[in-house]
Amino acid sequence: MTTCSAPGKIILFGEHAVVFGKAALAIAIDLRISSSVTKSDSYSVNGHPMRKKHHAYVSASLDEAWNGPPINIDTESEIPSGSGLGSSAAVTVSCVGAMLAEKGIFEPESVAKKAYEVENRVQGRASPIDTSTSTHGHGILVSPERSDDFLWRIEKGEAKWNVHHCEVPMLNFVVGYTGIHAATGPLVARVKRLVDTDEKAAQGIERIGEIVTDGATALRKGDKQKLGALMRENHVILNELGVGHPSLEKLVAACNGISFGAKLTGAGGGGSMVALTDDIGEVSKAITKAGGKPIVVMVGCEGVRIESTGVRKRSNA
Ligand code: PMV
């Protein structure tokens, strides 16, 4: 049996625009998913027969990273699914990682590239921001240009993403989870339709790219005022792109006066928002009062790692 774990993430700046090849900045958090691969009599997930539709990410990971005998994959998650905290990326990265480790060819760059292919196939369209952050951990800056701390490059069609390591200073973030599950694929498709037909939406995508560049500089300096202002601006544009939700708006509004800044994080349409603050107690209380679930996250955590390797055969009998 081989077990790998991988972290979730918050996107600080750049979601959706990154799918169009723009820059994005994301940070790994201390909520993880672990996946264990065990040789088995048939393909199964958590002891149940594997079904492509029901186990989309696990089954696509298998197509991408496994060509051995049947296996069972057991997953354990600390990340609510559809919360915008990167659960699909973490399950994919931990699965791909465990499969490559079981084959003796585990290596972060291949994990990131294969995991990206899996997300892209399952969602229809994707960027590497979630899967590269879950693989590398710490902070990740994805950008069209290559700069210092370059890790790897991922290309799909017209889009070319250079993936960079990004140092994360000690900052306090509180996530507010709306409890509303929102699938990423349809939201990404909706933004594409809008950007293809609406000039203002296309300009919004361009502006988000600039926000990310300024945000990366502010993060390096630990400039919380600047980061907060950019988060607020990024949030307004995401609403204009049609990925907001009334429940997210309530949580963001509740945090705006009492934090440096707040914005939705991830695909939107529900899911989660994140606030940057020096007072996690007050912000957590405000999120609860506005109907959300506060989650205080530690940031800049370790990426994919092999937890254990060994020999154990699962019997489904
Ligand atoms: O909500 P999540 O964790 O699936 O974040 C998706 C981020 C997007 O930019 C909307 C899509 C992508 O693949 O980059």
Side-chain angles (χ1 to χ4, degrees), residues 9 11 15-16 18-19 84-86 123 126-127 129-130 184 188 266-267:
K9 57 91 223 328
I11 298 182
E15 49 274 268
H16 287 291
V18 67
V19 183
L85 299 179
Q123 285 171 201
S127 83
I129 188 73
D130 284 16
T184 303
V188 167

Side-chain angles (χ1 to χ4, degrees), residues 110-176:
S110 345
V111 174
K113 290 186 167 168
K114 287 182 187 301
Y116 164 70
E117 290 298 332
V118 169
E119 270 216 334
N120 189 56
R121 196 174 329 147
V122 175
Q123 285 171 201
R125 244 169 96 76
S127 83
I129 188 73
D130 284 16
T131 38
S132 281
T133 305
S134 186
T135 302
H136 177 70
H138 311 277
I140 284 287
L141 173 68
V142 162
S143 64
E145 307 81 28
R146 179 174 169 156
S147 55
D148 293 349
D149 295 324
F150 173 80
L151 293 170
W152 49 73
R153 182 179 165 92
I154 294 181
E155 300 186 13
K156 185 61 80 185
E158 300 275 278
K160 294 174 180 56
W161 296 279
N162 292 291
V163 179
H164 305 85
H165 164 83
C166 190
E167 213 46 52
V168 183
M170 275 292 292
L171 294 170
N172 296 307
F173 290 98
V174 184
V175 167

